Amino acid sequence: LCALSLFACSNSEADMNDKPGTNIAMLEKFIKLNPKPDAAEWSVLEGETGSGLGPTDSALVALLTYSASDYPSAEKSLTESGSAQGGLMRKAPKWLPRSATQSAMNAVGEGFDFGTRAVSAETFASPPFNQGFAVIYPGERKVLVYLITQ
């Protein structure tokens, strides 16, 4: 959580929602990256799943781009991990490209429901971001990762 605090303190919530981080080494402190992507855009959204009084959870949203040689193993590990328990992204960051959300089943408020397109993101999970889903974009060699703290 120290790295999360440092990241959050160095960027306002508005900045994290409008402008993604691109530092793969920093992202790797939050989630597992095997294989490591060639490029990443990511941010942490605070208060993503909480409501009312008490602590709220955070969500990490990452759009990973793989090389032609690494993409097949990334895709295989995701397809072998099975379907996700849910594919609801309650709030999409503003930086997320439209191409990443076009495959959603439904728009839901400020977010998207990817439904059956979502697969388990277990391969990326690392405390505190230990539950969520991923969406595979084969033609683009990209993976959208959505993990929350619980």
Side-chain angles (χ1 to χ4, degrees):
L1 283 178
C2 292
L4 175 60
S5 297
L6 289 174
F7 180 77
C9 291
S10 66
N11 296 301
S12 73
E13 186 174 341
D15 287 345
M16 289 188 291
N17 195 28
D18 291 341
K19 187 175 171 185
T22 57
N23 185 325
I24 294 172
M26 178 67 85
L27 176 59
E28 201 165 27
K29 293 181 182 198
F30 300 118
I31 63 175
K32 297 176 193 168
L33 295 173
N34 187 20
K36 194 176 286 192
D38 281 355
E41 295 177 280
W42 63 280
S43 62
V44 175
L45 305 174
E46 296 298 325
E48 184 62 11
T49 59
S51 61
L53 299 174
T56 59
D57 293 323
S58 300
L60 185 142
V61 180
L63 187 60
L64 310 176
T65 304
Y66 290 92
S67 68
S69 60
D70 286 336
Y71 182 78
S73 70
E75 182 180 33
K76 181 180 179 189
S77 69
L78 285 168
T79 55
E80 289 177 349
S81 67
S83 60
Q85 292 181 5
L88 180 62
M89 178 185 294
R90 294 184 192 277
K91 183 177 179 183
K94 293 177 184 174
W95 59 262
L96 195 62
R98 182 173 165 84
S99 61
T101 58
Q102 284 179 329
S103 64
M105 306 287 280
N106 300 302
V108 180
E110 296 181 65
F112 297 91
D113 184 357
F114 291 91
T116 58
R117 293 262 350 255
V119 296
S120 172
E122 182 180 331
T123 187
F124 296 104
S126 180
F129 296 100
N130 52 11
Q131 184 178 359
F133 66 89
V135 179
I136 303 167
Y137 301 94
E140 301 177 49
R141 297 190 325 263
K142 293 182 186 254
V143 174
L144 174 64
V145 178
Y146 180 81
L147 290 166
I148 60 173
T149 58
Q150 287 285 308

